[in-house]
Amino acid sequence: MIPHEHCNCCENESKNHEEEYNSKYEQVFDMYNLHLHDEIEQEEAKKIISSKSAENNITEVLKFLFGCIEVTSLKTTDNEDNILKLVERINEFTNSNPDIPYPAGICIYPKFVNIVNNSLETENINISSVTGGFPSSQTFLDIKTIETSLAIQDGATEIDMVMPVGFFLAKDYEMIETEISEIKQVCGENIKLKVILETGALQTAVNIKKAALLAIYSGADFIKTSTGKISVGTTPMAVYVMCKTIKEYYEKTNIKIGIKIAGGISTTETALEYYTIVKEVLGKEWLTHDLFRIGTSNLSNAIISKITGSNTKVF
């Protein structure tokens, strides 16, 4: 967290405080390379994919990717019946396929955490809950923290929250830090917090990097690309910039931040492309289920079909 003090002053003093406070964030930004150009970052990401992706299209990598998946159901039509059926399919699959890693987690709305917690048979599968007014983050901070606390009480082992993008675009960095740090305080040390940047709304490489830094310095254990709820989801450029940010931060602090890729990941080819970017930028140290995740509702069946060589629909 970036240290600060709150101030209750007159309008001019508040303005001066805001300028002074934001300068603290600018000092953090100045520690990192923000001389980024969208076209260059896009081309660098494409180069990695075109030169390295094909070599990763092997069964060993596909099995690893399956073990990185958070099987996701975040539909308006979700109810206890369809969530329970999803958990039952996960239970059946993990029990009958010991040679394939189990998924890293299941990601659901907070109201379904309890039923997942009571019916999931594999202890090592994380229960991720989206909280904090997902997917827009447009609600009161008290509601965000209460929702997070209730999800954890019901058995959530990880929390996915959306960075308040409106505050970022208004350059209200103090509110971003306040919200993320307070939700992380609710999570404590044992519950991982993934902060969704919503990179499609941030648009530029510089914005993505600044947002990633704000999330990390405010307490994020993971940075995540997208909610999957807006028209522009994950892109190679966004993942490339996020990976470079994580690497720079690690080089300065020796602290590893995880990355979760979500929003339009439905084919094995796409998953392999993002795996390749993570591998080439961050290295093999990040190729663990503790640091690399994929949030998806469609990818699981595609990967299993590829591994088994037959058209399989498990989830």
Side-chain angles (χ1 to χ4, degrees), residues 166-184:
F167 286 140
F168 178 85
L169 297 176
K171 297 185 178 181
D172 192 345
Y173 303 140
E174 180 176 5
M175 280 305 301
I176 292 173
E177 184 197 349
T178 298
E179 294 212 351
I180 295 173
S181 61
E182 289 201 19
I183 292 176
K184 178 56 184 174

Side-chain angles (χ1 to χ4, degrees), residues 33-259:
N33 175 26
L34 288 172
H35 300 290
L36 306 179
H37 302 279
D38 294 352
E39 296 79 8
I40 294 175
E41 306 306 316
Q42 289 167 358
E43 285 304 312
E44 290 298 318
K46 287 179 181 178
K47 285 179 185 177
I48 291 173
I49 291 170
S50 61
S51 63
K52 298 290 185 177
S53 187
E55 68 187 47
N56 294 317
N57 191 6
I58 57 177
T59 300
E60 180 184 357
V61 171
L62 292 172
K63 286 184 177 181
F64 168 75
L65 286 173
F66 185 79
C68 294
I69 288 175
E70 292 180 18
V71 181
T72 301
S73 189
L74 297 171
K75 302 188 293 293
T76 303
T77 54
D78 280 342
N79 54 57
E80 288 190 358
D81 287 341
N82 80 280
I83 296 298
L84 182 57
K85 287 176 182 176
L86 177 60
V87 175
E88 289 172 348
R89 290 195 293 271
I90 292 174
N91 289 337
E92 182 180 351
F93 179 83
T94 54
N95 291 331
S96 58
N97 293 272
D99 58 328
I100 298 176
Y102 44 75
I106 179 170
C107 186
I108 39 47
Y109 282 111
K111 66 179 294 183
F112 301 117
V113 168
N114 187 54
I115 191 171
V116 172
N117 188 40
N118 289 330
S119 55
L120 190 63
E121 295 175 358
T122 305
E123 293 183 0
N124 291 325
I125 295 179
N126 290 288
I127 302 174
S128 293
S129 177
V130 292
T131 68
F134 180 92
S136 67
S137 192
Q138 298 285 15
T139 191
F140 304 102
L141 178 55
D142 286 348
I143 291 176
K144 295 180 180 184
T145 55
I146 291 169
E147 186 179 41
T148 301
S149 179
L150 290 172
I152 293 170
Q153 287 179 36
D154 277 351
T157 59
E158 299 182 344
I159 295 296
D160 291 31
M161 66 163 287
V162 184
M163 171 180 283
V165 178
F167 286 140
F168 178 85
L169 297 176
K171 297 185 178 181
D172 192 345
Y173 303 140
E174 180 176 5
M175 280 305 301
I176 292 173
E177 184 197 349
T178 298
E179 294 212 351
I180 295 173
S181 61
E182 289 201 19
I183 292 176
K184 178 56 184 174
Q185 186 174 359
V186 174
C187 292
E189 292 299 319
N190 296 326
I191 306 295
K192 288 182 178 177
L193 176 63
K194 309 188 202 87
V195 177
I196 306 166
L197 305 184
E198 199 67 288
T199 55
L202 297 174
Q203 297 184 342
T204 70
V206 171
N207 279 349
I208 291 168
K209 187 159 190 177
K210 283 185 175 182
L213 289 169
L214 285 170
I216 291 169
Y217 274 90
S218 298
D221 300 296
F222 270 73
I223 50 175
K224 176 179 172 182
T225 53
S226 173
T227 61
K229 300 297 185 182
I230 67 171
S231 59
V232 180
T234 298
T235 65
M237 187 266 279
V239 174
Y240 179 65
V241 171
M242 289 167 66
C243 285
K244 289 206 304 180
T245 306
I246 291 170
K247 184 176 182 179
E248 269 191 85
Y249 180 76
Y250 175 69
E251 289 171 347
K252 293 180 185 299
T253 65
N254 205 36
I255 298 172
K256 293 178 180 175
I257 301 297
I259 184 165

